[in-house]
Amino acid sequence: MSGFTDEELSAFLDGELPEARAAALEAALDRDPALGARMAALSEADALIKAAEPAPSNATAPPEMLAALARLAEAKPGSAANVVALRPKARAPSAGWLAAMAASIALVVGGIGGAAFQASRDGVDAAVALDAAVGVIRPANPLHAALETIPSGTVAPVPAAR
Amino acid sequence: MQGADGFLSDGADGSLPRLRRFATSLAGSGADGDDLVQSALERALTHRESFVPGTRLDSWMFRIIRNLAIDGARARKRRPTADLEEADAVAAAGAETTAETRLMLRKAQAAIATTLPPEQREVLALVAIEGLPYKEAGGVLGIPIGTVMSRLARARAAVAALVERPAEQGARA
């Protein structure tokens, strides 16, 4: 057995596994195909989960909702500066183990992850973005290179993924 | 089209899309989710003094939405069929998506909407989808980080099992 629980693999995907343990996991993924398969399955599920629920664009928000938002903005909850920047996880899993994974899984996971990110960012329907992501990925496509270097389950902007 | 002064804003569209997506995942449909967001925005306005400066505004809003969802769930039954209809609509939207990817996406949507217990769905929504750190998600849900971790792992494992491809099962007919 690999000695890593599903909870740890899941936390790794979220960048929430403590540094030392994450490093140990990355090393183990390099030499343990069974562990890699478990990781790939969870990572793929995670990518699908992220892609399954596109965030609705404000263009589809009811007028009364936008009005309520504006009133709330005017009221300034609390008293300090309220803007909280929402950024991707500071520590994402690194790429070392990806190469050991089956290429088809990497392509699907990476493609969906990238598409979901791009879709949520641009307000594009995730299903449409998926088309672009999984349809054709040639070596000349920047997405192809990205898939080689970005760990699956990680979301990252890919210039020509659409 | 977004709140003044950058309020609830983290980009071109602000945070409203995230609040709506989270509410939809709790409510089971987009329409019910939007009702939740509307109520949450109004409640946030009347209870604005309860926001603690220096904490995350999005977590505060997620918590309000969740509390309202719990109140609402007590009052009426969920409608899981709406989830499947919406999943179909989303899946059908990508006409040229490969059949396999579309099938997996649909399975994932159905798994999230109908198979996962609510306590797994909400933690999945906050962490995997909205990207909250475990600590923030635990604060929103009122549960320890260890519980966040275990629910996430169970939810992902459940989705993984449900979308597993025939080739990987070794039981291709």
Side-chain angles (χ1 to χ4, degrees):
Chain A
M1 282 305 292
S2 59
F4 288 92
T5 64
D6 273 0
E7 293 188 6
E8 287 180 304
L9 300 189
S10 176
F12 182 69
L13 287 176
D14 295 317
E16 295 264 1
L17 199 59
E19 285 291 339
R21 196 64 179 154
L25 175 55
E26 285 174 16
L29 283 164
D30 282 337
R31 56 171 193 267
D32 184 346
L35 181 64
R38 282 172 60 208
M39 191 77 212
L42 287 180
S43 179
E44 183 176 55
D46 188 58
L48 286 166
I49 288 160
K50 286 171 165 58
E53 309 221 16
S57 161
N58 282 356
T60 65
E64 61 269 26
M65 185 185 290
L66 295 170
L69 181 68
R71 280 197 303 275
L72 184 57
E74 192 67 25
K76 294 185 179 13
S79 56
N82 290 311
V83 181
V84 177
L86 306 167
R87 309 200 184 291
K89 293 282 162 54
R91 192 203 183 289
S94 71
W97 54 275
L98 181 64
M101 242 174 243
S104 63
I105 292 174
L107 283 172
V108 169
V109 172
I112 290 172
F117 177 86
Q118 202 67 43
S120 64
R121 194 181 213 209
D122 299 345
V124 174
D125 188 323
V128 174
L130 275 172
D131 269 1
V134 303
V136 183
I137 306 173
R138 296 188 191 87
N141 187 333
L143 179 59
H144 187 276
L147 286 169
E148 298 296 311
T149 55
I150 299 168
S152 60
T154 300
V155 289
V158 177
R162 314 179 39 210
Chain B
M1 290 291 278
Q2 56 184 281
D5 304 326
F7 176 77
L8 284 173
S9 180
D10 63 320
D13 234 13
S15 288
L16 189 60
R18 300 171 69 240
L19 300 182
R20 293 173 74 200
R21 175 168 55 185
F22 177 63
T24 296
S25 75
L26 296 189
S29 80
D32 289 346
D34 278 356
D35 285 348
L36 267 183
V37 171
Q38 184 71 36
S39 302
L41 288 169
E42 287 162 8
R43 179 170 290 198
L45 181 63
T46 56
H47 292 72
R48 59 186 178 275
E49 75 289 344
S50 75
F51 174 72
V52 180
T55 62
R56 287 179 60 144
L57 191 55
D58 59 341
S59 293
W60 184 61
M61 288 303 304
F62 284 137
R63 190 157 55 236
I64 293 172
I65 288 170
R66 178 174 177 268
N67 289 342
L68 288 169
I70 290 171
D71 292 346
R74 289 197 192 105
R76 60 175 163 66
K77 281 277 184 189
R78 287 181 186 281
R79 289 172 291 177
T81 51
D83 296 317
L84 290 174
E85 283 161 17
E86 291 193 357
D88 275 340
V90 172
E96 290 166 31
T97 304
T98 64
E100 184 185 32
T101 302
R102 197 163 60 233
L103 177 65
M104 290 172 71
L105 194 53
R106 188 175 180 284
K107 281 182 178 174
Q109 289 166 331
I112 295 164
T114 63
T115 308
L116 294 187
E119 67 271 17
Q120 286 181 26
R121 190 168 44 200
E122 65 187 5
V123 75
L124 206 56
L126 284 176
V127 177
I129 298 175
E130 306 306 342
L132 288 198
Y134 286 6
K135 186 164 173 284
E136 285 290 325
V140 170
L141 302 174
I143 56 177
I145 288 178
T147 307
V148 170
M149 204 170 159
S150 60
R151 285 183 186 173
L152 273 171
R154 281 202 299 276
R156 283 184 172 126
V159 173
L162 286 160
V163 301
E164 197 174 4
R165 286 177 285 185
E168 289 164 7
Q169 292 171 326
R172 187 167 239 163

